[in-house]
Amino acid sequence: MGDPDPRRRVSVHHALGGGFVADLLLWKRWGGGVIVLTAATSLWFLFEVAGYNVISFASNVFLLLVFILFLWAKSATLLGRPLPPLPDFEISEESVSKLAEVVQKGANSVLSIAHEITIGQNLRVFLQVACGLWIVSSIGCLVNCLTLAYIGVLLALSVPYLYDRYQDHINPKLCIANSMIQKQCKNMNILLKKMPLSSNKEKKTQ
């Protein structure tokens, strides 16, 4: 396949699903975007800058929530008002089945990769996994998980919006970068093919 046409505009809103999340990331719902950005910034400031403890924060939030609900229920009983509109706290079997299916797929993919590395002795998969883990380790040494999540929120609220507005200028540069990456991948594949790789067929013939 060739490089995509840099002049063709992409519907970012449609690519993001075209729902509430797409409107939020593209700042079509300014109120929601401001709330998400403010909440993420506040949490990052509390835990990273002010040094507030996550467990203490969660405990205090739940304590305040329970206190408010208790006072609301007591006052509603005394004054003859309706009780707090709380939903039924139940987890459906369908949601549990979906979660189990997702966990099963993830575990099977991890086991498949481990099988390719150990039993199949696939050098390419080993190098890919090793490079990926090294990149994650390098990023983890620079920033912690909370800061990384906050950076992800900032990128999610900025990159789709900027690309949607300036994709006519960004697409040609992305095409050039894509062609360069494909050339490097082809060179890497040629180099890996020259390396001696032991296969399961050779083991069976021995």
Side-chain angles (χ1 to χ4, degrees), residues 10-98:
V10 178
S11 176
V12 181
H13 188 269
H14 180 72
L16 294 175
F20 176 78
V21 176
D23 294 339
L24 190 68
L25 296 180
L26 294 177
W27 289 90
K28 295 183 181 296
R29 297 176 181 263
W30 283 90
V34 170
I35 291 174
V36 172
L37 182 60
T38 304
T41 304
S42 301
L43 292 176
W44 178 80
F45 181 82
L46 282 175
F47 298 138
E48 188 66 21
V49 180
Y52 206 70
N53 189 275
V54 179
I55 299 178
S56 300
F57 177 78
S59 300
N60 292 333
V61 169
F62 282 114
L63 178 61
L64 180 62
L65 180 61
V66 170
F67 185 72
I68 292 174
L69 291 177
F70 178 78
L71 290 181
W72 189 350
K74 281 295 183 182
S75 62
T77 303
L78 295 175
L79 300 176
R81 300 287 182 84
L83 294 175
L86 293 178
D88 295 334
F89 295 101
E90 293 182 356
I91 300 177
S92 62
E93 295 182 0
E94 183 180 358
S95 59
V96 174
S97 300
K98 290 182 179 179

Side-chain angles (χ1 to χ4, degrees), residues 14-202:
H14 180 72
L16 294 175
F20 176 78
V21 176
D23 294 339
L24 190 68
L25 296 180
L26 294 177
W27 289 90
K28 295 183 181 296
R29 297 176 181 263
W30 283 90
V34 170
I35 291 174
V36 172
L37 182 60
T38 304
T41 304
S42 301
L43 292 176
W44 178 80
F45 181 82
L46 282 175
F47 298 138
E48 188 66 21
V49 180
Y52 206 70
N53 189 275
V54 179
I55 299 178
S56 300
F57 177 78
S59 300
N60 292 333
V61 169
F62 282 114
L63 178 61
L64 180 62
L65 180 61
V66 170
F67 185 72
I68 292 174
L69 291 177
F70 178 78
L71 290 181
W72 189 350
K74 281 295 183 182
S75 62
T77 303
L78 295 175
L79 300 176
R81 300 287 182 84
L83 294 175
L86 293 178
D88 295 334
F89 295 101
E90 293 182 356
I91 300 177
S92 62
E93 295 182 0
E94 183 180 358
S95 59
V96 174
S97 300
K98 290 182 179 179
L99 179 61
E101 184 179 354
V102 171
V103 173
Q104 181 186 12
K105 290 181 180 179
N108 288 336
S109 62
V110 172
L111 293 175
S112 176
I113 294 174
H115 182 274
E116 286 292 326
I117 294 175
T118 56
I119 306 301
Q121 297 183 9
N122 194 325
L123 182 60
R124 299 177 188 174
V125 177
F126 168 73
L127 292 177
Q128 292 175 357
V129 173
C131 291
L133 293 176
W134 178 78
I135 292 173
V136 172
S137 176
S138 301
I139 295 175
C141 293
L142 298 176
V143 294
N144 56 23
C145 184
L146 181 62
T147 302
L148 188 62
Y150 179 62
I151 293 173
V153 172
L154 294 180
L155 292 176
L157 291 175
S158 59
V159 172
Y161 175 76
L162 293 176
Y163 178 75
D164 186 51
R165 291 198 61 181
Y166 304 107
Q167 62 175 288
D168 293 334
H169 304 283
I170 296 175
N171 282 341
K173 297 178 177 59
L174 288 179
C175 291
I176 295 174
N178 183 40
S179 61
M180 294 176 62
I181 292 174
Q182 288 183 355
K183 289 180 181 178
Q184 296 298 326
C185 290
K186 290 180 180 179
N187 294 334
M188 182 64 67
N189 289 331
I190 293 174
L191 180 62
L192 292 176
K193 288 179 180 179
K194 293 181 179 179
M195 294 182 180
L197 300 175
S198 59
S199 61
N200 292 328
K201 294 182 179 180
E202 293 178 355

